[in-house]
Amino acid sequence: MDRISPSLHRVRSRVEACLREFPAIDGSSGLLVACSGGPDSLALAAAAAHLDRPVGAVVVDHGLQPGSAEVARVAAGQCEALGLSPVMVVAVDATNRGEGPEAAARNARYGALSAAARDSGALVLLGHTLDDQAETVLLAIARGSGTRSLAGMPASRGVFRRPMLGLTRAEVRSALDGLDIVVWEDPHNSDPAYRRSRIRNEVLPVLDDVMGPGVRQALARTASLTRADADALDGWAARVTAELGGSESVGSGWSVGALGGLPTAVRRRVLRGGALSAGCPAGALAASHILEVDRLITEWHGQGPLHLPGGVTAARRYGRLFLTGPTTAPDPVNGARDGA
């Protein structure tokens, strides 16, 4: 076994544990590190380079800042120097199309990483830390989000793995000590125009001062506990949806009686799944929309159809709930009112 520092060994051990717990289920055998050139992803790259298997890297150039191509080139060179191969640099279009600059960059980045994973038959390692998880939970609290958002980032989803969620940012960055690594610090991380930056640099330090050490660990622990609850509720909702005929069957109507007998948390998950299946864009479908759809079941007083994002209509007729999109064929009782 290679002689490496205790800090780097700690990171490598987390990577190995994550891959044991969440192995590929589709035959993917390769590994790629998503590297921005920042200290967290470079620490992950350095640790992954000591695994007993080939590891490559993907560097995404968002093109959002002057000199971004050079930053990507240097990051790729660092990965190659660490022994990762192949190393790919992918330029993306992160144009903000109304979802906000952070969301636009994130969507472009994950699209590029997903494509690289698909083309390479590989899993992608992401460099998020416990501190990132704590910031995510605070952002979800500020938005008034539900349990799924409060659950934070998962350690495993699809082709992505986040092995360092149990390590603080300081622990991860200490893995670079003694290594000849050129680190890039993203100026967005200190730009107060970005909400996450202010959470990181202003809010969390105040919480540390007021509540004492361990705030980040407590927030990350909250995410872990909440994820278990959210997974259980999502599983229950999926079983109910299947019993109703599948989410696509909501255009033909779901029984109001069956929906009304469900716990609120489960019913609203079922309704959200139906709305998405009918054509509501996930990013535009808010909790307030689902609440109004839910009232067609729980607070019925003869109200008319609801108009949801994406041109989807929700209506109750003859004891059934219909969610139909602009291209959905009209049901045979379209326009009739529910007398129940």
Side-chain angles (χ1 to χ4, degrees):
M1 181 176 294
D2 296 335
R3 292 180 61 84
I4 60 177
S5 71
S7 296
L8 190 57
H9 177 74
R10 186 182 304 115
V11 176
R12 183 181 69 175
S13 296
R14 290 296 181 119
V15 175
E16 291 171 335
C18 182
L19 294 174
R20 285 195 302 270
E21 185 175 0
F22 304 109
I25 59 176
D26 58 359
S28 299
S29 58
L31 280 181
L32 292 170
V33 174
C35 185
S36 66
D40 300 335
S41 61
L42 280 172
L44 177 59
H50 289 275
L51 297 175
D52 294 326
R53 57 194 292 182
V55 182
V58 183
V59 180
V60 178
D61 175 12
H62 298 84
L64 295 175
Q65 301 163 347
S68 65
E70 176 63 13
V71 170
R73 187 193 67 78
V74 172
Q78 295 297 296
C79 290
E80 290 171 346
L82 288 167
L84 274 59
S85 178
V87 178
M88 298 168 275
V89 176
V90 182
V92 298
D93 178 8
T95 302
N96 178 8
R97 296 179 174 84
E99 69 269 55
E102 292 172 283
R106 182 174 59 251
N107 292 338
R109 178 170 62 255
Y110 278 98
L113 294 174
S114 295
R118 182 178 61 251
D119 295 343
S120 305
L123 296 174
V124 178
L125 303 179
L126 302 175
H128 297 113
T129 68
L130 183 147
D131 294 69
D132 295 310
Q133 186 76 296
E135 293 159 11
T136 299
V137 173
L138 281 177
L139 286 167
I141 292 172
R143 289 192 301 266
S145 302
T147 52
R148 178 52 65 190
S149 291
L150 290 174
M153 297 177 287
S156 171
R157 176 179 290 164
V159 297
F160 298 109
R161 302 291 183 269
R162 295 182 174 90
M164 304 192 301
L165 289 178
L167 297 174
T168 66
R169 189 171 290 134
E171 289 174 320
V172 167
R173 295 184 178 188
S174 68
L176 294 175
D177 293 346
L179 299 180
D180 186 18
I181 297 290
V182 176
V183 172
W184 174 67
E185 290 288 355
D186 187 347
H188 285 169
N189 290 336
S190 57
D191 188 342
Y194 296 95
R195 187 172 299 172
R196 182 178 286 270
S197 172
R198 298 196 69 181
I199 290 283
R200 177 176 303 179
N201 299 306
E202 299 176 31
V203 176
L204 274 168
V206 169
L207 289 177
D208 286 334
D209 183 55
V210 173
M211 303 181 70
V215 170
R216 292 166 174 78
Q217 287 81 355
L219 288 167
R221 187 165 58 251
T222 295
S224 179
L225 294 171
T226 305
R227 178 164 298 279
D229 293 345
D231 287 345
L233 290 168
D234 286 349
W236 189 348
R239 292 191 296 273
V240 169
T241 301
E243 292 167 1
L244 290 169
S247 58
E248 67 281 354
S249 69
V250 72
S252 301
W254 282 344
S255 166
V256 168
L259 291 167
L262 296 170
T264 300
V266 176
R267 183 177 61 252
R268 290 180 180 171
R269 280 170 165 76
V270 173
L271 295 177
R272 177 175 174 80
L276 294 174
S277 180
C280 285
L285 186 62
S288 58
H289 295 127
I290 300 303
L291 179 61
E292 290 304 314
V293 177
D294 195 35
R295 285 175 176 157
L296 293 176
I297 299 165
T298 62
E299 299 179 23
W300 176 247
H301 48 79
Q303 58 264 48
L306 300 172
H307 300 289
L308 304 176
V312 173
T313 299
R316 172 171 167 163
R317 295 184 289 272
Y318 290 112
R320 302 184 72 79
L321 178 74
F322 298 86
L323 284 164
T324 53
T327 60
T328 305
D331 62 89
V333 292
N334 186 30
R337 284 293 183 87
D338 191 338

